[in-house]
Each structure stands twice: as C-alpha cells, then as structure tokens.
Amino acid sequence: MRIAFLVAPEGVEQIELTDPWQAAKDAGHEPVLVSTEAGEIQAFNHLDKADTFPVDEVVGEARAESFGGLVLPGGVANPDFLRMDEKAVAFVRDFFEQGRPVAAICHAPWTLVEADVVRGRVLTSWPSLQTDIRNAGGTWVDEQVQVCDHAPAKLVTSRKPDDLKAFCEAFLDVFGQEAA
C-alpha cells in the first residue's frame, strides 16, 4: 500500500515522521513524503532544527486516490502551516470523502479541524487542541490511541511522541484492514 505522509516544508516533529515511516516500511508499505513545496522539508526536535528529508510529491499534484491511506505527523508549526494551505486541506478532505483511512498524531488534528472532518468523531490529540476539536463538533478523549470508525473513513489518533508505539500499531492494523 502507498501511504501519504503529508507535512509542511518546515516544522514537522521528526520522530512523529520517522517512527511511523519506518513502521510502514517494515510492514511492507510504501511511504511517500508529500508536501506543499518541492525540494526538502526541515524536521524539528521540538524547537530545534533536526534533519531534512526529500519531498516525493507536491500536494497540488498528488491525488488521494493514488494512496491507500494518509499519515499526518505533528509538530506545532507543521499542522498550523498545512491548515492555511487550501490544497493541503483539500487533499486531507479527499481521503475522508473517499473512505480512505487517516492517522494523525499530536498537533496534526488541527489540519483535520480545518478540513471539517472531525464532526461526529471521537479523537485524541495534544491536550491544547481539545477545545478546537470540540468546537469543530468532535469529541476529545485523553487516550494513548483512539480509533474512530465513524463513516466514511476510519481515523486513528494519538496524543504525543510517547504514544508512537501504540499509534504505529493501531494505524498499521487499521490500514491493513482497509487494504484487505
């Protein structure tokens, strides 16, 4: 399965990109780095610059139907940038409209709020997003990982880097079910 990892050109929390990426590769999937600009993205370890990673596809040219699922890593700046980009928001919304599974960790649900896809869903995130999620019609829970089966697309969410093991296991299980 091809899995899109959507990130901004700068600000993604590196471990929230690299751990799920490696988990997807180890499970036999093809992770694809999608961003709003060509070239490289700059990852961060909290507020410090970390590594750079090459962009595989640009969001304006990438299509949800060419992927089996979508992973949205966090970092404070990353989803804030993405939610201000109309093409990125439309890309995310397309996964839900097409019933393709989505996984989001930490601050990433900000992009989901902007895409208007949390209404009627139960999800978790970094705690500071709970008011935004509730205001967008979602139910926020303080859980390590939350899987929401609300149609048309399954959504896997987690709170923070400490939840990465459970997050990776859950999204790989959900994505695997969708691929079967």
Side-chain angles (χ1 to χ4, degrees):
M1 169 188 293
R2 291 181 82 229
I3 299 174
F5 281 71
L6 178 62
V7 299
E10 189 170 75
V12 68
E13 186 70 29
Q14 181 161 315
I15 197 167
E16 293 176 3
L17 170 63
T18 57
D19 277 18
W21 183 281
Q22 191 61 51
K25 282 183 73 169
D26 290 348
H29 300 296
E30 178 189 350
V32 178
L33 190 62
V34 179
S35 189
T36 57
E37 298 174 11
E40 292 185 330
I41 62 106
Q42 175 67 61
F44 279 74
N45 291 326
H46 192 52
L47 298 175
D48 299 321
K49 284 187 177 182
D51 298 322
T52 59
F53 299 91
V55 172
D56 298 313
E57 295 187 26
V58 176
V59 77
E61 300 163 8
R63 299 287 174 251
E65 55 266 15
S66 69
F67 298 97
L70 171 65
V71 174
L72 297 168
V76 178
N78 178 52
D80 192 52
F81 180 92
L82 290 176
R83 67 184 177 162
M84 297 302 294
D85 186 289
E86 290 179 21
K87 291 178 182 176
V89 172
F91 184 69
V92 170
R93 191 178 304 114
D94 284 349
F95 277 85
F96 285 89
E97 290 173 353
Q98 294 176 27
R100 298 176 192 276
V102 175
I105 187 166
C106 203
H107 288 79
W110 263 339
T111 310
L112 302 177
V113 167
E114 192 65 34
D116 195 25
V117 295
V118 301
R119 189 171 319 285
R121 293 185 173 277
V122 178
L123 61 154
T124 193
S125 67
W126 186 255
S128 65
L129 276 67
Q130 61 184 297
T131 300
D132 298 324
I133 289 167
R134 289 182 182 128
N135 287 343
T139 300
W140 186 86
V141 294
D142 186 11
E143 300 288 337
Q144 184 178 40
V145 67
Q146 177 66 40
V147 178
C148 181
D149 292 335
H150 186 72
K154 289 187 179 179
L155 174 63
V156 178
T157 52
S158 282
R159 303 170 299 190
K160 57 189 173 186
D162 288 346
D163 299 338
L164 275 165
K165 185 178 186 310
F167 176 71
C168 291
E169 290 172 358
F171 93 75
L172 287 172
D173 180 57
V174 167
F175 285 27
Q177 291 172 18
E178 296 299 307

